[in-house]
Amino acid sequence: MPSVFGTMCGGRKKKKKYKPEPEVLEQEVQPVRSQGLKAFKKMGLSGDDDVNAMLQGSNLWKIRPRWHAARLYRLESDGITIWYQSQAKRARSKQIFSVLHIESVREGHQSEGLQKHGRHFHETCCFTIAFKGRKKNLDLAASSEKEARNWVQGLQKLMKRAEAMSQREKLVHWIWDYLRQADRDGDEKMTFQEVKDMLKMINIDLNDIYAYNLFKTCDRSNTDTLEDHEIEEFCTKLMHRPEVEEIFHRYSGEDRVLSAEELQEILQAQGEEATPERAKEIIHKYELNETAKQHDLMMMEGFMMYLLSDDGDIFNQKHRTMYQDMTQPLCHYFISSSHNTYLTNHQLVGESSTESYIRAFMEGCRCVELDCWEGQSGEPVIYHGHTLTSKILFKDVVTTIRDYAFKNSPYPVILSLENHCGLEQQVIMANHLREILGDMLVTKPLPGADIAWLPSPEALKGKFLLKGKKLNSRKSSEEEEGKTRTDTAKELSDLVVYCQTVEYRGQPGNVCEMSSFSEDKVRRLIKDSGINLVRYNARQLSRIYPDGLRANSSNYSPQEMWNAGCQLVALNFQTPGYTMDLNRGRFQDNGRCGYVLKPEFLRKEDSYFNPDAPSKEAKLLFVKVISAQQLPKLNKEKPNSIVDPFVRVEIHGVGKKREKETKYILNNGFNPSWNEVLQLEVSVPELALVRFVVEDYDKTSSNDFIGQYTLPFLSLKQGYRHVHLFSKDGASLSPATLFVQIRIEEL
């Protein structure tokens, strides 16, 4: 589609300013590459006492509900991989984890597991490693306080360093780790057979002749092995990106060096700020060669660093901060919401855990559910009633909520109370809420607030709102005489202020009243009276929850409810899948604070927007899927299992889901290339989400999921962009990426 992507092709060559000879610059770049690999292995912390202790390894007690056993844990020489001993014979991939996948490290008895099962280990010797995604916590105990401190502080330092790693550094680590695995005898030399083994590990099936020629090209010592600089040269050739090099040469010309003026041309074509100052800023930020920097020049390596950085990301980096107006009423925002928050998996037989609340908050959730039932000891419990799910104490959940609710976002948290307790234990619940949450719990209307509107997220920073039944302030004569029995205790009712649950009446009412709907009921409302529902949601809150028949904790698509302006679209956070991908995509906007401002047409009380029959202007999205890089191997235990990847681009918004896909590439998950243009129509862009999906083609059965990335259409950056992929449970698949070119046109 030359007309669509023509602006990115580069044009006339301008007369260039002085540039040093490319050979001079290359002489300086090679040592930089070499030093980068060596220095990276030590993560810049090789002299650190804590890290050195981890490199030596420790016998740590692994604590589980029914057993605890000593295991050897050791930091590997790359400074980012933790290896641990296993009793059973397991593949290496089952005995390691990466610092990149750690969410947090908690000291002492700060996990549910250690609080229940680790009390016979001294608190100062205990710590918990919490992972991103759905991987279970790792509860550990050291033999001494000093040893525990070495691991806690060492991990925190490594996490901080890993967080600052560039995509290029992550790629170097990734390939270096596989080189180490393929070097079976540990002699730091690579035979051709070891190189072939490594190629299969990294998901590529190279022709033997091509692979051998590449091997011999790098074997400059003619020893039939690769070592030191030869291995680095092999890696450099393997990671060569011809599609990026072509773009670079299109603008730089024969001298293979970009001037600041030429970089300006690229920035302009990318739709970026294209001033001389911005071009020089990018050069000084990403160029590795000091001589080039001094002359405001950028070489291929620096250009690659730029494209792989946040500045080259498909997601608008301004949207990674809280940039939206947070002073509007609560009802004007989509609010990240969880259903059955306490569950870890199945609704009938799964475990209930306070850890599930922590994980939800780490994902930006701002509305959690507490399903409260009578406890045998007089203490209310939380579980999925009338099922075999385990029970946890109400007060333990409230304590966990207090401790973790505001670690990732300062904006208010709504506690959605499902109350099945008798009056006596309701009073106990009310006491726990007051005593544990204290002044953070809103128990009265905010002073000076406009009673015609709900308060704003800004006005409610650091506060908890209780959602539940509210007793009428005006009692009937029968209630005053005690003849009528209520099912809600006054003590609990008094804590409900801005989220009073009532039955939906079809018309806007008191702004402090809100209604809850099953997924089926709200679908019927959207179809029958969508405009009325939009207007209701412009003034009041509504909560949507999954159908009760979803015993396996599956989810519905939240998109159609967002289209009607529903704020609290509650999902089972414990269940991975495309529906949670959409939720993460929606709420990575606005700094992942859990609140996203609704479009203006969903905030008007007199709106005529009909989510079932929209009449808004549409746009055309053109996605040129160029290539992918370092896709994960799906079956690491089968060396010959190589993926056949293809890419699908989906539009989730108002109306029917739209999708287009590429052809599949046979036996290449390392650097497959497509160069296909996909064209999709986007109706109501303000509400649309774009989802990039990579799957492994299988002609005899269903395709296997490889990775995905979802973002709001309005957060898309045009031009050449990298798409950083995530796993099904939301964990990063770094360094796996797609390389695409984006263009948006009016329809």
Side-chain angles (χ1 to χ4, degrees), residues 481-493:
E481 293 172 8
K483 295 179 181 177
T484 301
R485 189 178 170 199
T486 178
D487 62 354
T488 303
K490 181 179 183 302
E491 291 83 351
L492 195 58
S493 169

Side-chain angles (χ1 to χ4, degrees), residues 631-656:
L631 298 176
K633 192 177 178 72
L634 296 182
N635 195 334
K636 293 183 179 180
E637 276 62 65
K638 290 187 178 179
N640 293 321
S641 175
I642 311 293
V643 300
D644 305 326
F646 69 94
V647 178
R648 183 171 63 252
V649 180
E650 304 170 352
I651 303 296
H652 297 260
V654 177
K656 187 178 178 181

Side-chain angles (χ1 to χ4, degrees), residues 115 143 254 268 301 333 432 561-562 565 650 656 694 707 721:
Q115 288 167 4
S143 58
E254 295 178 0
Q268 186 172 11
E301 191 81 1
Y333 299 85
H432 286 325
M561 291 69 175
W562 288 327
E650 304 170 352
K656 187 178 178 181
V694 186
R721 301 291 170 185

